[in-house]
Amino acid sequence: MNDILVFSEEVAAAKAERKPIVALESTIISHGMPYPENVQTAKEVEQLIRSRGAVPATIAIIDGKMKIGLTDDELEFLGTSRDIEKVSRRDLPYVVAKKKHGATTVAATMICAAMAGINVFATGGIGGVHRGAERTMDISADLQELAQTNVAVVCAGAKSILDLGLTLEYLETHGVPVLGYQTDILPAFYSRTSPFRVDYRLDSAEEIAQFIETKWALGLDGGIVVANPVPQEDELEESYITSIIEQALKEAEEKHITGKAVTPFLLDRVKTLTEGKSLKANIALVKNNAVLAADIARALS
Ligand code: PSU
Ligand code: MN
């Protein structure tokens, strides 16, 4: 196991000194944003976490190694190579056994983070129950991971490519709390609001840390969703983004896109149809989440 789980120097030192650490995923780099914005954003997000007194640990599989903390060259490689698999829980053993390269989803990043002893993770949006899931059964493995793995995930809610109502129902069934940071309303990634409420509103990183600590102290295993709305100035208009998402969903249906290709297809279409407006919002919300995650990690340590 020790030669499969490999720490960067920076993260190894942070662990030895018991510094707060924030995990970051890599699917957003390889499959979520175009080059060069993906690599640029990944580096800036790491820098932001350092500036808040925590240590970033971007996670990916390189040559079959589960890397906890990446060099700038590795970030560049993930952001440019076409040879990167999207890796969720199901795919992890294949990519490790075959010594391939993989970008980790929220689920796979949670798994690697937990193995590495890291319990706070910042991302953009989580996967969830897809619209039409009553026909397709398309439910992201991210939700099942949140049900069982002890990592708090800071995100901007979930995109309305998903059925947000069913996603909340699924999380409730599995005992995953959805916390709103300074909001009562579940944010919908590009917009600060949705028709749904979060389970509990907490207004500071300290209160969120206290909640997380209490959950695990009670022996209640599993993750926590911390929903942090996109900054106001970067928000996209709800009716605008909704019509674009509906267009993308229609195209996915017509092209019979299924399985793990669905989410990357939808993300790519939304990006193209918004002519880059969604990318700007995406970058802003990821940075916003990184800052909150660093504050929570500090409060926890
Ligand atoms: N949603 C986004 N951006 C993303 C993803 C989801 O708004 O980049 C990525 C994350 O890595 C997430 C994954 O874990 O897609 C979910 O994929 P799937 O639906 O195939 O489980
Ligand atoms: Mn899916």
Side-chain angles (χ1 to χ4, degrees):
M1 196 57 214
N2 278 345
D3 45 80
I4 296 177
L5 197 66
V6 178
F7 290 87
S8 69
E9 251 171 62
E10 184 187 20
V11 177
K15 277 186 66 79
E17 293 163 36
R18 299 184 162 276
K19 283 194 187 157
I21 305 175
V22 175
L24 297 162
E25 65 152 306
S26 44
T27 296
I28 191 170
I29 303 173
S30 65
H31 295 73
M33 285 186 198
Y35 184 80
E37 286 89 347
N38 54 358
V39 176
Q40 183 66 28
T41 304
K43 289 180 187 170
E44 286 174 10
V45 163
E46 290 197 344
Q47 220 31 61
L48 263 175
I49 290 172
R50 292 186 189 104
S51 76
R52 297 300 274 209
V55 172
T58 306
I59 292 176
I61 318 297
I62 312 252
D63 290 319
K65 309 272 190 220
M66 299 159 75
K67 294 259 185 158
I68 313 295
L70 301 177
T71 63
D72 281 359
D73 283 350
E74 287 169 330
L75 288 177
E76 190 77 25
F77 172 65
L78 282 172
T80 51
S81 170
R82 306 216 128 256
D83 208 20
I84 314 283
E85 307 253 357
K86 175 184 165 191
V87 174
S88 197
R89 169 176 276 266
R90 174 196 64 180
D91 315 292
L92 207 42
Y94 177 78
V95 174
V96 170
K98 288 289 192 185
K99 301 197 171 15
K100 288 180 178 278
H101 314 301
T104 49
T105 62
V106 168
T109 305
M110 289 177 75
I111 294 170
C112 298
M115 285 180 186
I118 302 170
N119 53 21
V120 180
F121 165 19
T123 185
I126 56 169
V129 180
H130 280 256
R131 296 209 214 165
E134 65 278 11
R135 282 179 293 112
T136 62
M137 299 269 290
D138 191 351
I139 300 173
S140 173
D142 292 354
L143 299 187
Q144 202 51 46
E145 209 56 54
L146 281 160
Q148 59 180 317
T149 301
N150 293 7
V151 176
V153 181
V154 182
C155 64
K159 282 202 182 80
S160 49
I161 58 173
L162 303 173
D163 187 318
L164 298 184
L166 291 187
T167 300
L168 287 174
E169 291 293 349
Y170 193 98
L171 289 171
E172 181 190 1
T173 300
H174 288 279
V176 180
V178 178
L179 306 179
Y181 176 64
Q182 298 181 347
T183 183
D184 297 297
I185 305 293
L186 179 72
F189 200 86
Y190 296 121
S191 35
R192 293 174 59 84
T193 57
S194 74
F196 302 95
R197 298 180 75 82
V198 293
D199 302 325
Y200 301 104
R201 171 188 178 139
L202 294 173
D203 288 338
S204 68
E206 289 71 27
E207 287 171 90
I208 294 171
Q210 203 171 53
F211 180 102
I212 294 169
E213 215 160 39
T214 305
K215 181 177 194 280
W216 292 333
L218 291 171
L220 300 173
D221 281 341
I224 293 100
V225 175
V226 180
N228 185 27
V230 58
Q232 203 132 34
E233 60 273 22
D234 299 295
E235 183 178 32
L236 296 184
E237 221 256 295
E238 209 167 331
S239 63
Y240 166 72
I241 194 70
T242 303
S243 70
I244 285 189
I245 282 169
E246 262 147 26
Q247 169 73 23
L249 285 165
K250 206 174 116 230
E251 288 180 28
E253 181 106 27
E254 282 163 5
K255 291 195 154 87
H256 305 291
I257 310 278
T258 57
K260 75 178 191 178
V262 172
T263 298
F265 176 86
L266 294 173
L267 297 181
D268 185 62
R269 289 307 293 149
V270 168
K271 187 185 69 205
T272 306
L273 292 166
T274 59
E275 296 159 327
K277 282 197 212 71
S278 64
L279 181 59
K280 190 170 159 283
N282 204 341
I283 292 170
L285 64 85
V286 172
K287 289 182 177 173
N288 194 42
N289 295 341
V291 168
L292 178 58
D295 291 351
I296 294 169
R298 262 193 300 116
L300 272 172
S301 72

